[in-house]
Amino acid sequence: MGSTKTVTAEIIAIGDELLYGQIVDTNSHWISQELDKIGVKVVRRSTVGDNRDAILEAFRSAEKRAEIILMTGGLGPTNDDLTKPLLAEYFQCAVELVPEALEAVRTFFEKRGRELTELNRLQAHLPTKCTYVPNELGTAPGMWFEENGCVWMSMPGVPHEMKRLMEAFVIPKIKEIYPLPNIYHKVIKTVGIGESWLADLLKDWEQNLPEHIKLAYLPSLGQVKLRLTAFGERMEELQNDVEEQILLAKKIIGKYIYGYNKESLEEAIGRLLIQAEKKVAFAESCTGGYISHLVTSIPGSSKYFQGGLIPYHNKFKNKLLEVEKTVLSEKGAVSEETVIQMAENIKNLFDADFGLASSGIAGPGGGWAEKPVGTVWIACAWEDRTITKKLQLTQDRMLNIQLTAVAVLNMLRTAISGKTE
Amino acid sequence: MGSTKTVTAEIIAIGDELLYGQIVDTNSHWISQELDKIGVKVVRRSTVGDNRDAILEAFRSAEKRAEIILMTGGLGPTNDDLTKPLLAEYFQCAVELVPEALEAVRTFFEKRGRELTELNRLQAHLPTKCTYVPNELGTAPGMWFEENGCVWMSMPGVPHEMKRLMEAFVIPKIKEIYPLPNIYHKVIKTVGIGESWLADLLKDWEQNLPEHIKLAYLPSLGQVKLRLTAFGERMEELQNDVEEQILLAKKIIGKYIYGYNKESLEEAIGRLLIQAEKKVAFAESCTGGYISHLVTSIPGSSKYFQGGLIPYHNKFKNKLLEVEKTVLSEKGAVSEETVIQMAENIKNLFDADFGLASSGIAGPGGGWAEKPVGTVWIACAWEDRTITKKLQLTQDRMLNIQLTAVAVLNMLRTAISGKTE
């Protein structure tokens, strides 16, 4: 991290509803991530109830541990919401009307055709020691303090209001005040290989990473993300250093990489299909519509998604998809022969370039010795080729559906990009 | 709560990866909910890093605030994992091999055909003051202490291991030690009505609830849960009191209630279809397979789910589902006439009793003045009837898909139970 000293932060979430498990605190995790990105070290997260002593005690102990203290919640106009009066008490100042804040609240309500109540008007009264930070998305303003050797920011608990305040005000302000290291992140998204296999392939590469670049493996369902983080002085250099390492990694694991940063597998599929000017259709048995759902959850997917069929019983695999009755009776619905016919026929039925199929035993019932729960066949047909794969998955129905979907999308990805083995 | 004193708890999550936002702490929220259910009051949640001073300070301040201290994480065999040595240090005792724990770790590895390493063997060394609590699902044991006037439980951070330890050991143990109020919860699940409308209908009922019964509204996507919580001495009475109130509520909002407690809407649909011995099929345009996915995510759905078709373009609505070309060209794909034909024809195509259809503009593109983004038509055909509904939803694609799915499933629910208006 060069010569810059580590800057520390504490996050305090306020509200009984959090402690009692009535709502999930997604704010603290999100703030953690944002601070990590700019090189601020979070040293503690605390959740306290709507309780005077607990909140004051949280203030006192936070200022001993951290330089930056970020608070969410406890800012509504009702009596349970204590953050504002307690901040005034803690910093020993009055609470006074801020005309600019009143104007903002008034405008907020006018735009929505609602009356300003006395309770709402109170939201424009702020501790005199704070800097008023406008909240365009709600009625509780942000409050910024520089007191007791720390900076303090109080934000509403509503996630999108908090996020806007963080992005528009808090993060730029922290960068302005503190000498932070420059940090450059890039995430490599891989599919079709497990974490330990990937780590094994990349062992030498990882050992030779320059000191100022850190690597993290972030596994999720059927996919592994590799996050590279470079710390240093000059942003442009960091970016070059990371890209150089990614080029090296690509030589080793290139065929498993489908994208970078926030691109999802289904987005990557869309991008590839649009580039190749190709269209796709799915015949889903055990995945029950989930793959089509993933693909159509992407805006603009109607450009390349032709349609799907979910023939959940043999009768319909035959009647609607023309899988031969003898194949179904002799080989079974969960067989290589069946998924081949499903993939080829769905392609033709929907005038698609790629036809994909899944058939398996999702569980928990329906398995037997020869084909236990978790046995799945998948296929991809295009041009005059059809490839297949047998998966042996888990005992868990949802997991089997999700893992099959990832495997099918990955099969499609390799087929489009001509990287099948 | 009668005469029993409030029992307090603090939850401590340990791990740098939480503070840096690399993984989400779902444990603390889950533990909050479980403690709330048995009447234990959580007074603080803290997240600390893998740091000696921070963890010891968290122990010291927790024991001042709460009687029950539950910890997750920091239990791996590597050097960053500090919870175990620090508990021994804090309670001033040695760490010694527990033969029973070693046996459990050995068995765990044997079952998986893996070698026991020296690092794994260390996991069987425990502070002498703790009670060893076996962890069947992993290698890090639970540790229970009764020290300094508090009870302490250290659990692994892996969610399913922690949950098993909580359910099998911690919750029963807390109930045994502390005089807790009896609490009876029941959740009423509703669909097809917004929170404020529901609250308005139930205003008088809510005001007349007995003092020992509390009500909470828990809204989620297109659904609202009503949680009734009764506190008192005798469990049987509490149960009767709650059931009595539910009977009264049913008279007012009965037609919106689809189930109770953990039953999901798609599970309720399955139950109703099995009871009625009926089968269903879906023609999904704007929902792109999502409804079929929800229905088939339920084990045993092959008993009543016949199949689905996703004709994403007019051409296939006509070719595969026989929606008339003139209807498509004159009324458009997003029209009442189109969804009527889709619903009736999907029913026949799949030999189903109920045929359902969705067609709409999910967005963000594709809308125009007459049919803006969020315009959706849905239909349900059965026997010789077909009902339709127009929805005017949001600008958000995923939200539109999800809200349409809930509306379609609710239309099916009312059709099966004969409660359509």
Side-chain angles (χ1 to χ4, degrees):
Chain A
M1 294 218 196
S3 57
T4 45
K5 187 184 143 293
T6 304
V7 177
T8 54
E10 174 148 349
I11 302 166
I12 305 175
I14 300 168
D16 281 340
E17 69 282 10
L18 301 171
L19 288 181
Y20 303 163
Q22 284 161 8
I23 64 167
V24 184
D25 171 29
T26 55
N27 289 339
S28 297
H29 175 71
W30 188 87
I31 295 173
S32 280
Q33 287 186 316
E34 294 307 301
L35 293 177
D36 188 56
K37 278 187 204 158
I38 60 167
V40 170
K41 183 175 177 175
V42 177
V43 292
R44 181 74 64 109
R45 294 196 322 220
S46 304
T47 308
V48 297
D50 298 312
N51 174 294
R52 180 177 181 279
D53 294 341
I55 294 174
L56 290 175
E57 191 274 318
F59 291 169
R60 272 193 301 275
S61 43
E63 75 177 28
K64 284 182 209 149
R65 286 189 287 249
E67 290 149 272
I68 299 168
I69 298 158
L70 304 181
M71 286 159 269
T72 58
L75 286 186
T78 58
N79 283 333
D80 337 336
D81 289 313
L82 294 171
T83 307
K84 191 165 66 183
L86 290 178
L87 280 166
E89 179 181 340
Y90 192 67
F91 297 132
Q92 299 177 303
C93 65
V95 173
E96 280 175 12
L97 178 78
V98 175
E100 203 187 338
L102 182 63
E103 198 44 44
V105 181
R106 195 197 305 281
T107 312
F108 185 89
F109 280 92
E110 260 172 21
K111 270 192 189 164
R112 284 155 185 79
R114 279 155 57 195
E115 287 272 324
L116 191 67
T117 66
E118 196 45 47
L119 226 47
N120 299 133
R121 193 183 295 267
L122 281 178
Q123 299 205 282
H125 287 72
L126 303 179
T128 52
K129 283 189 178 168
C130 89
T131 303
Y132 157 66
V133 185
N135 169 12
E136 292 160 28
L137 304 177
T139 58
M143 295 178 280
W144 173 269
F145 299 85
E146 301 187 11
E147 294 290 329
N148 306 359
C150 296
V151 304
W152 309 68
M153 177 77 185
S154 159
M155 295 172 281
V158 183
H160 72 277
E161 297 179 23
M162 178 280 294
K163 286 179 185 173
R164 175 71 68 91
L165 285 169
M166 282 290 291
E167 286 166 346
F169 180 84
V170 181
I171 295 289
K173 190 86 179 167
I174 289 174
K175 283 183 173 171
E176 185 189 309
I177 297 179
Y178 295 97
L180 295 170
N182 267 312
I183 297 191
Y184 179 75
H185 291 278
K186 188 153 178 176
V187 177
I188 306 175
K189 318 263 301 226
T190 74
V191 63
I193 181 168
E195 182 181 4
S196 57
W197 298 84
L198 205 57
D200 203 46
L201 286 176
L202 289 174
K203 204 164 49 187
D204 293 341
W205 170 81
E206 187 176 347
Q207 268 173 0
N208 292 323
L209 279 177
E211 277 239 339
H212 68 296
I213 298 185
K214 301 256 169 284
L215 173 72
Y217 286 88
L218 309 167
S220 62
L221 239 150
Q223 306 188 23
V224 181
K225 293 185 262 187
L226 296 173
R227 190 182 54 199
L228 287 162
T229 308
F231 303 85
E233 304 294 319
R234 299 241 315 275
M235 197 48 138
E236 207 181 315
E237 266 173 35
L238 299 181
Q239 199 165 338
N240 287 338
D241 294 349
V242 167
E243 293 299 338
E244 202 175 293
Q245 293 306 319
I246 288 180
L247 271 181
L248 294 174
K250 263 174 102 163
K251 285 187 190 157
I252 311 165
I253 56 157
K255 66 175 179 172
Y256 304 109
I257 299 175
Y258 69 77
Y260 298 91
N261 297 329
K262 296 210 166 173
E263 190 175 47
S264 67
L265 181 54
E266 45 274 25
E267 280 172 315
I269 294 286
R271 172 173 52 75
L272 292 171
L273 286 168
I274 288 173
Q275 278 167 8
E277 297 182 28
K278 302 285 183 193
K279 292 166 194 290
V280 68
F282 298 90
E284 303 192 49
S285 189
C286 65
T287 46
Y290 185 60
I291 306 174
S292 299
H293 162 60
L294 288 179
V295 172
T296 56
S297 68
I298 305 304
S301 46
S302 57
K303 285 193 205 76
Y304 49 83
F305 177 78
Q306 297 287 83
L309 183 70
I310 309 154
Y312 222 50
H313 300 274
N314 281 355
K315 182 166 110 181
F316 304 114
K317 287 189 181 76
N318 170 256
K319 175 182 156 190
L320 303 177
L321 208 48
E322 291 176 14
V323 179
E324 291 162 27
K325 278 185 181 165
T326 51
V327 165
L328 289 167
S329 61
E330 282 164 28
K331 306 290 178 175
V334 181
S335 69
E336 183 167 27
E337 291 78 359
T338 294
V339 287
I340 289 175
Q341 295 198 359
M342 285 174 70
E344 292 174 354
N345 297 350
I346 197 76
K347 174 170 85 83
N348 297 333
L349 196 65
F350 277 102
D351 305 336
D353 301 292
F354 293 89
L356 289 111
S358 71
S359 185
I361 300 150
W368 67 98
E370 202 193 323
K371 289 179 187 170
V373 166
T375 309
V376 177
W377 275 98
I378 64 175
C380 177
W382 77 107
E383 295 167 6
D384 53 356
R385 296 185 60 184
T386 303
I387 55 173
T388 63
K389 191 171 179 180
K390 186 185 183 182
L391 312 173
Q392 203 63 59
L393 303 172
T394 75
Q395 295 297 308
D396 184 281
R397 184 178 182 86
M398 260 319 286
L399 208 54
N400 290 341
I401 292 172
Q402 291 169 324
L403 290 169
T404 303
V406 171
V408 167
L409 291 178
N410 191 37
M411 191 176 238
L412 173 58
R413 178 185 74 89
T414 55
I416 306 167
S417 47
K419 285 180 190 158
T420 55
E421 276 136 41
Chain B
M1 296 220 198
S3 57
T4 45
K5 186 183 145 291
T6 304
V7 177
T8 54
E10 173 147 351
I11 302 166
I12 304 175
I14 300 168
D16 281 341
E17 68 281 13
L18 301 171
L19 287 182
Y20 305 164
Q22 283 161 10
I23 64 168
V24 183
D25 170 27
T26 55
N27 290 336
S28 298
H29 175 71
W30 188 87
I31 296 173
S32 280
Q33 287 186 316
E34 295 306 301
L35 292 177
D36 187 56
K37 278 187 204 157
I38 60 167
V40 170
K41 184 175 177 177
V42 177
V43 292
R44 181 73 64 109
R45 294 196 322 221
S46 303
T47 308
V48 296
D50 299 312
N51 174 294
R52 182 177 178 278
D53 295 341
I55 295 173
L56 290 175
E57 191 273 317
F59 291 168
R60 272 193 301 276
S61 43
E63 74 177 27
K64 285 183 207 146
R65 286 188 286 249
E67 289 149 273
I68 299 168
I69 298 157
L70 304 181
M71 285 160 269
T72 58
L75 286 186
T78 59
N79 284 332
D80 336 337
D81 289 313
L82 294 172
T83 308
K84 191 164 66 182
L86 290 178
L87 281 166
E89 178 180 341
Y90 193 66
F91 298 132
Q92 298 178 302
C93 65
V95 173
E96 281 176 11
L97 178 77
V98 175
E100 202 188 340
L102 182 62
E103 198 43 44
V105 181
R106 196 195 304 280
T107 313
F108 185 89
F109 280 93
E110 259 173 22
K111 270 193 188 162
R112 284 154 185 81
R114 280 155 56 195
E115 287 272 323
L116 191 67
T117 66
E118 197 46 46
L119 227 46
N120 299 133
R121 192 183 297 267
L122 281 177
Q123 299 205 282
H125 287 72
L126 304 179
T128 53
K129 283 190 178 167
C130 87
T131 302
Y132 158 65
V133 185
N135 169 11
E136 292 159 30
L137 304 177
T139 58
M143 295 177 280
W144 172 269
F145 299 85
E146 302 188 9
E147 294 291 329
N148 306 357
C150 297
V151 305
W152 309 68
M153 177 77 186
S154 158
M155 296 172 281
V158 183
H160 74 276
E161 298 179 22
M162 178 280 293
K163 286 179 186 175
R164 175 71 69 89
L165 286 169
M166 282 290 292
E167 286 166 346
F169 181 84
V170 181
I171 295 289
K173 191 86 179 165
I174 289 174
K175 283 183 174 171
E176 186 189 307
I177 297 180
Y178 294 98
L180 295 170
N182 267 314
I183 297 191
Y184 180 76
H185 291 277
K186 188 153 179 176
V187 177
I188 306 175
K189 317 264 299 227
T190 75
V191 61
I193 181 168
E195 183 182 3
S196 57
W197 298 82
L198 205 56
D200 204 45
L201 286 176
L202 288 174
K203 203 164 49 188
D204 293 340
W205 171 81
E206 187 177 348
Q207 269 175 358
N208 292 322
L209 280 177
E211 276 238 340
H212 68 296
I213 299 185
K214 301 254 168 287
L215 174 72
Y217 285 89
L218 309 167
S220 62
L221 239 150
Q223 306 188 23
V224 181
K225 293 185 264 188
L226 295 173
R227 190 183 56 199
L228 287 162
T229 307
F231 303 85
E233 304 294 320
R234 299 239 318 274
M235 197 47 140
E236 207 180 315
E237 266 174 35
L238 298 181
Q239 201 165 337
N240 287 338
D241 295 349
V242 167
E243 293 299 338
E244 201 174 293
Q245 293 305 319
I246 288 180
L247 271 181
L248 294 174
K250 262 174 103 165
K251 285 188 189 155
I252 310 166
I253 56 157
K255 67 176 180 172
Y256 303 109
I257 299 175
Y258 69 78
Y260 297 93
N261 296 331
K262 296 209 165 172
E263 190 176 46
S264 67
L265 181 55
E266 43 276 26
E267 280 172 315
I269 294 287
R271 173 172 51 76
L272 291 170
L273 286 168
I274 288 173
Q275 278 167 7
E277 296 182 28
K278 303 285 184 194
K279 292 167 193 293
V280 68
F282 298 90
E284 304 193 48
S285 190
C286 65
T287 47
Y290 185 60
I291 306 173
S292 298
H293 163 58
L294 289 179
V295 171
T296 57
S297 68
I298 306 304
S301 47
S302 58
K303 286 193 204 75
Y304 49 83
F305 177 78
Q306 296 287 83
L309 183 71
I310 309 154
Y312 222 50
H313 300 274
N314 282 356
K315 183 165 109 180
F316 305 114
K317 287 187 182 77
N318 169 255
K319 175 182 153 190
L320 304 176
L321 208 49
E322 291 176 13
V323 178
E324 290 163 27
K325 279 186 181 166
T326 50
V327 165
L328 289 166
S329 61
E330 282 163 28
K331 305 289 178 175
V334 181
S335 68
E336 183 168 26
E337 291 78 359
T338 295
V339 287
I340 289 175
Q341 296 196 0
M342 286 173 71
E344 290 173 354
N345 297 351
I346 197 76
K347 174 170 85 81
N348 297 333
L349 196 65
F350 276 101
D351 304 336
D353 301 291
F354 293 90
L356 289 111
S358 70
S359 185
I361 300 149
W368 68 97
E370 202 193 323
K371 289 180 188 169
V373 167
T375 309
V376 178
W377 275 99
I378 63 175
C380 178
W382 76 107
E383 295 168 5
D384 53 358
R385 296 183 60 184
T386 303
I387 55 173
T388 63
K389 191 170 178 181
K390 186 185 184 182
L391 311 172
Q392 203 63 59
L393 303 172
T394 75
Q395 294 297 308
D396 184 280
R397 183 177 184 86
M398 262 317 287
L399 209 53
N400 290 340
I401 292 172
Q402 291 169 325
L403 289 170
T404 303
V406 172
V408 167
L409 291 178
N410 191 37
M411 190 175 239
L412 172 58
R413 179 185 74 88
T414 55
I416 306 167
S417 45
K419 284 180 190 158
T420 55
E421 277 136 42

